[in-house]
Every structure is written in structure tokens, then in C-alpha cells.
């Protein structure tokens, strides 16, 4: 059994803006990115799961035109609460510093912590895995890192360093008995390094 993880394509947002569950559209490079992703997917029929946010749902529908797409809110990105659509550098230091010191456990004001995201994502991943059907999950960087941290027992604090996942990346998870192995099939950056934190 195989489960494929796909990150959404480039979102239509300028660099330096904090976003999580804001429903961003995709950029004009979308069709080219879809074309680049497609060769790395299996020809076999898959059950398709997606975040309901349009940057994921549009990709799922474009890649799997004949498959119904099942959307789940627990596959959405981190809820960035009061910081959504603010410039990272405009968030007061006194407000953001506790999160910078411990982004795994500290909640964004009126949002989530990374461990909260991790727990809801892992619950959904295990529900999908329990069905025993080949599947694909189209979601966000935080969602994919949560799944990969879970199956490799990587501490969440290290997940951004261990798992460099560019927009449109494809990861294959092979499941045999209780063994889960993953391989990165496609991971090409169009934009260079992302920076989801203040510059200072």
C-alpha cells in the first residue's frame, strides 16, 4: 500500500507575509507546476484527500480529474490566528518572541501551536491508513512535515531542518505491515528558500 503526499503549488502571496488558513489562490505558474508534478504520480487509481483551501483543492482536482476529492478541515495548515496576513516583521517582538522560542508548544494568539496541528493531522493520517487503500493527500507544508515527523519519529522542533519540502513536492510513503518508508519523488523550488518568520 502506498500513500502519496503532495504539497500545494506556489500561493499568490508576497514573501514576508504570515499566512496559514487564509484561503489564498495560486499563481499564474499553476499549470506549469501541475505539468511538472504529474510524471511523479502513479497511474493506478487512488483515493484523493485534500485540505479544503483552494490552493490544495485546485491542485487535487487538476491532478486527479476523474477522482472525487474528499476534503477535511484537519488537513488545513496551521491556524495563524491574529497573525494571519500580517507582515512577519510587523508583529510586535514581545508578542512573537515566546512563539519563536518554542513554536512547537506555544500557541499563536487565537490560533494553534505546532503540536496542535500535528495531533489533528496524525489522527487524519491514521484514519486514512486504516482504510488500507492507496491514497494521496494534497495539503500544506506543516501538514506534510507533521506526517513525516510522525512516521520517522523526528522531533517537531527539527522537522523544518530535516524535511525541506518545496511547493509541489511529491513524497511516497510505502506501508508494509507496520513498516513505513518514505521517498522524495519530486522537490524542485521555483522561488528559492521560503522564510516564514521575522527577518531579525
Amino acid at each position: 500500500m502506498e500513500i502519496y503526499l503532495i504539497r500545494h503549488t506556489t500561493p499568490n502571496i508576497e514573501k514576508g507575509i504570515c499566512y496559514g488558513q487564509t484561503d489564498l489562490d495560486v499563481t499564474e505558474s499553476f499549470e506549469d507546476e501541475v505539468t511538472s508534478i504529474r510524471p511523479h504520480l502513479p497511474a493506478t487509481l487512488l483515493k484523493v484527500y485534500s485540505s479544503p483551501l483552494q490552493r490544495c483543492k485546485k491542485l487535487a482536482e487538476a491532478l486527479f480529474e476523474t477522482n472525487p476529492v474528499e476534503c477535511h478541515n484537519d488537513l488545513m495548515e496551521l491556524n495563524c490566528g491574529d497573525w494571519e496576513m500580517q507582515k512577519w516583521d510587523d508583529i510586535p517582538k514581545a508578542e512573537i518572541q515566546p512563539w519563536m522560542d518554542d513554536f512547537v508548544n506555544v500557541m499563536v494568539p487565537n490560533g494553534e501551536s505546532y503540536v496542535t496541528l500535528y495531533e489533528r493531522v496524525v489522527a487524519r493520517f491514521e484514519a486514512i491508513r486504516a482504510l488500507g487503500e492507496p491514497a494521496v493527500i494534497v495539503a500544506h507544508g506543516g501538514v506534510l512535515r507533521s506526517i513525516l515527523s510522525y512516521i520517522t519519529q523526528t522531533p517537531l522542533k527539527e522537522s523544518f531542518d530535516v524535511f525541506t519540502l518545496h511547493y509541489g513536492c511529491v513524497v511516497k510513503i510505502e506501508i508494509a505491515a507496520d513498516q513505513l518508508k518514505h521517498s522524495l519523488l519530486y522537490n524542485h523550488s521555483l522561488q528559492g528558500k521560503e522564510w516564514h518568520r521575522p527577518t531579525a
Side-chain angles (χ1 to χ4, degrees), residues 79-93:
N79 180 350
C80 291
D82 293 348
W83 300 348
E84 290 275 351
M85 300 306 290
Q86 287 196 54
K87 290 184 177 180
W88 281 106
D89 288 345
D90 289 348
I91 301 170
K93 184 173 182 183

Side-chain angles (χ1 to χ4, degrees), residues 116-127:
T116 305
L117 165 71
Y118 173 86
E119 288 170 351
R120 64 172 162 82
V121 167
V122 166
R124 176 57 57 189
F125 175 76
E126 281 296 348

Side-chain angles (χ1 to χ4, degrees), residues 4-191:
Y4 289 78
L5 310 178
I6 305 174
R7 190 180 180 192
H8 62 77
T9 60
T10 308
N12 189 17
I13 184 79
E14 65 179 280
K15 287 188 175 183
I17 302 292
C18 176
Y19 65 90
Q21 294 189 2
T22 299
D23 197 8
L24 302 172
D25 204 347
V26 294
T27 63
E28 59 187 15
S29 64
F30 178 70
E31 293 298 337
D32 290 337
E33 292 179 77
V34 169
T35 299
S36 297
I37 295 166
R38 196 169 271 127
H40 305 282
L41 302 177
T44 53
L45 191 65
L46 299 170
K47 179 78 174 177
V48 182
Y49 301 91
S50 175
S51 159
L53 299 179
Q54 62 179 316
R55 58 190 185 270
C56 296
K57 191 167 183 285
K58 282 186 175 181
L59 180 58
E61 291 172 345
L63 291 172
F64 304 96
E65 296 176 343
T66 61
N67 297 38
V69 177
E70 189 174 309
C71 293
H72 293 277
N73 289 342
D74 46 17
L75 293 175
M76 288 199 290
E77 185 57 282
L78 183 80
N79 180 350
C80 291
D82 293 348
W83 300 348
E84 290 275 351
M85 300 306 290
Q86 287 196 54
K87 290 184 177 180
W88 281 106
D89 288 345
D90 289 348
I91 301 170
K93 184 173 182 183
E95 185 176 312
I96 200 171
Q97 195 59 51
W99 180 82
M100 294 287 290
D101 293 340
D102 185 9
F103 68 90
V104 172
N105 297 297
V106 173
M107 294 180 67
V108 175
N110 292 310
E112 292 180 297
S113 66
Y114 193 6
V115 75
T116 305
L117 165 71
Y118 173 86
E119 288 170 351
R120 64 172 162 82
V121 167
V122 166
R124 176 57 57 189
F125 175 76
E126 281 296 348
I128 292 170
R129 177 185 174 191
L131 295 174
E133 302 173 320
V136 60
I137 298 172
V138 182
H140 310 266
V143 173
L144 270 57
R145 286 187 181 94
S146 292
I147 294 171
L148 292 174
S149 295
Y150 173 64
I151 69 171
T152 61
Q153 297 185 326
T154 298
L156 291 179
K157 188 175 182 179
E158 299 172 13
S159 62
F160 283 84
D161 294 324
V162 174
F163 306 113
T164 300
L165 304 173
H166 298 299
Y167 297 127
C169 71
V170 181
V171 182
K172 180 173 72 171
I173 299 175
E174 297 176 87
I175 303 171
D178 287 331
Q179 299 295 314
L180 291 87
K181 297 188 297 183
H182 76 281
S183 52
L184 200 54
L185 303 184
Y186 177 72
N187 195 30
H188 178 68
S189 173
L190 298 177
Q191 287 199 328

